[in-house]
Amino acid sequence: MNKIKFIDLFAGIGGTRIGFENACKKMGLSSECVFTSEIKPYAVKVYKNNFNESEISGDITKIQSNEIPDFDYLLAGFPCQPFSFAGSRKGFVDTRGTLFFEIERIIKEKSPKGFLLENVEGLISHDKKNKSDSIGNTLSVIIESLEKIGYKVTWQLINSGEYGIAQNRKRVYIVGRKDKKISLKNFSTGKKTLGEILEKNKPIINSEFTSKLLSTFSLDELKGKSIKDKRGGSNNIHSWDIGLKGDITLEQRELLMMLLKERRKKYWAIKKGITWMDGMPLTVEEISTFYNPINIFGSIDLEFILNDLVKKRYLKYEHPKDISISTDKYGNKITSRKYRKDLEKGYNIVTGKLSFEINKILHPDEVTPTLVATDVTRLAVIDNKGIRRLTIKEGLRLFGFPDKFKLDVSYEKAFDLLGNTVVVPIIEMITERLLSN
């Protein structure tokens, strides 16, 4: 039987390749990767280490199609960049200026049997013109471009947590073949919890932060808890709940919890004449309309206790921000937040989830949230009588990589690579459909 030849673009650490090759083996097919492209140096190092590849091509924009060997299938987890001509739909002459164009160019010139592409969930609504539209302009142009060059295209949003992976990870998959349309629905589902893939008896974190957590809450109470100051709810722990920046009074705790809710109300945005957004600083006068502290000694100086919270860094004293909209050279709208220095300063909650050593303790009986490169190192699990970060092996398991896979880079780089990789078993199950007769 002839080998199925494929190319692996924006290859990362090779998760797409593993899934494709696994499906081929399962179906009794022989496969060969004839070309690989990746630009991140430590991803290339990992890829070479696991696939014994000596030649990995770099920037795909600098590689001509005639330099690529003939192949049957193209695989790509391509970055989603804003299209250069993003404006009115009429403005799309083609897809030049985007990395998708490189995929389109290669498919058009090499004419393979088919392709498998993966992207983030946001691709579905990117550049949506009307709220009622089912998909945005970007995905629409991608599909139309691929159909125009002779392929029957299907796309589907798939959550790995519904297919036997202990991570909720929604991704868009786009497949196409010349001869027939491939269904991406009705796959066999399955469930797996985090606890099923955890290692045991690993070193725990001993820090001031974890010490304060464990002196305030039991391990059972910590399961599934988030740690951030800009949200409330029974499933969230705030820095002031554990006295992380210093002890506070009952009155101050009550004030912080009330301010947490009030600062998000649209009423204050209308009153200030700014665009409503998630959390605004409120003045002493505004805060006094919903909070008037009185204890056994009588009325308490509100401004004094607010300034004490600023000093302890639970609050910040700042001008309100407003939405600012500008336009880039392509006509794309750029939205940012800027301080309105013409408006009076007020008091606002300080920190978001990335400010803490740990921002979530994962529940062993559940699937994890989507692992994102920017904050995955701040996730923790319970092990013995303490808490610790995920191990690299656990990270690999949450993406369906085999335990034998070698991710021999630093902890931070390992999770940066994992946060941007694919879920191997999802690629495998889609490939089985893609290669079916």
Side-chain angles (χ1 to χ4, degrees), residues 17 21 32-36 44-45 47-56:
R17 174 172 175 170
E21 290 179 336
E32 179 186 2
C33 183
V34 297
F35 178 85
T36 303
V44 171
K45 175 188 173 183
Y47 196 103
K48 286 182 176 181
N49 200 20
N50 283 278
F51 298 102
N52 297 315
E53 295 281 355
S54 57
E55 292 296 325
I56 303 291

Coordinates of all heavy atoms in Angstrom, one line a residue, residues 17 21 32-36 44-45 47-56:
R17 N 0.8 16.0 14.3 CA 1.4 14.8 13.7 C 1.2 13.5 14.4 O 0.9 12.5 13.8 CB 2.9 15.1 13.6 CG 3.7 13.9 13.0 CD 5.2 14.3 12.8 NE 6.0 13.1 12.4 CZ 7.2 13.2 11.9 NH1 7.8 14.4 11.8 NH2 7.9 12.1 11.6
E21 N -0.7 10.4 12.7 CA 0.0 9.1 12.6 C -0.7 8.0 13.4 O -0.8 6.8 13.0 CB 1.5 9.2 13.1 CG 2.3 10.1 12.1 CD 3.7 10.3 12.6 OE1 4.0 10.1 13.8 OE2 4.6 10.5 11.7
E32 N 3.9 9.1 6.2 CA 5.2 9.7 6.2 C 5.1 11.2 6.2 O 4.4 11.8 5.4 CB 6.0 9.3 5.0 CG 7.4 9.9 5.0 CD 8.2 9.6 3.7 OE1 7.6 8.9 2.8 OE2 9.3 10.0 3.6
C33 N 5.7 11.9 7.2 CA 5.8 13.3 7.2 C 6.9 13.8 6.3 O 8.1 13.4 6.6 CB 6.0 13.8 8.6 SG 6.0 15.6 8.7
V34 N 6.6 14.5 5.2 CA 7.6 14.8 4.3 C 8.1 16.3 4.4 O 9.1 16.7 3.7 CB 7.1 14.6 2.8 CG1 6.8 13.1 2.6 CG2 5.9 15.4 2.5
F35 N 7.5 17.1 5.3 CA 7.9 18.5 5.4 C 7.3 19.0 6.7 O 6.1 18.8 7.0 CB 7.4 19.3 4.2 CG 7.7 20.8 4.3 CD1 9.0 21.2 3.9 CD2 6.8 21.7 4.9 CE1 9.3 22.6 4.0 CE2 7.1 23.0 4.9 CZ 8.4 23.5 4.5
T36 N 8.1 19.7 7.5 CA 7.7 20.3 8.7 C 8.1 21.8 8.8 O 9.3 22.1 8.4 CB 8.3 19.6 10.0 OG1 7.9 18.2 9.9 CG2 7.7 20.2 11.3
V44 N 11.0 23.7 18.1 CA 11.8 23.0 17.2 C 12.7 21.9 17.9 O 12.8 20.8 17.5 CB 12.7 23.9 16.3 CG1 13.7 23.1 15.4 CG2 11.8 24.8 15.4
K45 N 13.3 22.4 19.0 CA 14.1 21.4 19.8 C 13.3 20.2 20.3 O 13.8 19.1 20.1 CB 14.7 22.2 21.0 CG 15.5 21.3 21.9 CD 15.9 22.1 23.2 CE 16.5 21.2 24.2 NZ 16.8 21.9 25.5
Y47 N 10.5 19.1 19.0 CA 10.0 18.3 17.8 C 11.1 17.4 17.3 O 10.9 16.2 17.1 CB 9.6 19.3 16.7 CG 8.8 18.7 15.6 CD1 7.4 19.0 15.6 CD2 9.3 18.0 14.6 CE1 6.6 18.4 14.6 CE2 8.5 17.4 13.6 CZ 7.2 17.7 13.6 OH 6.4 17.1 12.6
K48 N 12.3 17.9 17.2 CA 13.4 17.1 16.7 C 13.7 16.0 17.7 O 14.1 14.9 17.2 CB 14.7 18.0 16.5 CG 14.6 18.9 15.3 CD 15.9 19.7 15.2 CE 16.0 20.6 13.9 NZ 17.3 21.3 13.8
N49 N 13.6 16.3 18.9 CA 14.0 15.3 20.0 C 13.0 14.1 20.0 O 13.4 13.0 20.3 CB 13.9 16.0 21.3 CG 14.7 15.2 22.4 OD1 15.5 14.3 22.1 ND2 14.4 15.5 23.6
N50 N 11.7 14.4 19.6 CA 10.7 13.3 19.6 C 10.5 12.6 18.3 O 10.0 11.5 18.2 CB 9.4 13.9 20.1 CG 9.4 14.1 21.6 OD1 9.1 13.2 22.3 ND2 9.6 15.3 22.0
F51 N 10.9 13.2 17.2 CA 10.6 12.6 15.9 C 11.9 12.3 15.1 O 11.8 12.0 13.9 CB 9.7 13.6 15.0 CG 8.4 13.8 15.6 CD1 8.1 15.0 16.3 CD2 7.4 12.8 15.6 CE1 6.8 15.2 16.9 CE2 6.1 13.0 16.2 CZ 5.9 14.2 16.8
N52 N 13.0 12.5 15.7 CA 14.3 12.3 15.1 C 14.4 13.0 13.7 O 14.9 12.4 12.7 CB 14.5 10.8 14.9 CG 14.6 10.0 16.2 OD1 15.2 10.5 17.1 ND2 13.9 8.9 16.3
E53 N 13.9 14.2 13.7 CA 14.0 15.0 12.5 C 15.3 15.9 12.5 O 15.5 16.6 13.5 CB 12.8 15.9 12.3 CG 11.5 15.1 12.2 CD 11.2 14.7 10.7 OE1 12.1 15.0 9.9 OE2 10.2 14.0 10.5
S54 N 16.0 15.9 11.5 CA 17.2 16.7 11.4 C 16.9 18.0 10.7 O 17.6 19.1 10.9 CB 18.4 16.0 10.7 OG 18.0 15.6 9.4
E55 N 15.9 18.0 9.8 CA 15.6 19.2 9.1 C 14.2 19.7 9.4 O 13.2 19.0 9.1 CB 15.7 18.9 7.6 CG 17.1 18.6 7.1 CD 18.0 19.9 7.2 OE1 17.5 21.0 7.0 OE2 19.2 19.7 7.5
I56 N 14.1 20.9 10.0 CA 12.8 21.5 10.3 C 12.9 22.9 9.6 O 13.8 23.7 9.9 CB 12.5 21.7 11.8 CG1 12.6 20.4 12.5 CG2 11.2 22.5 12.0 CD1 11.4 19.5 12.3

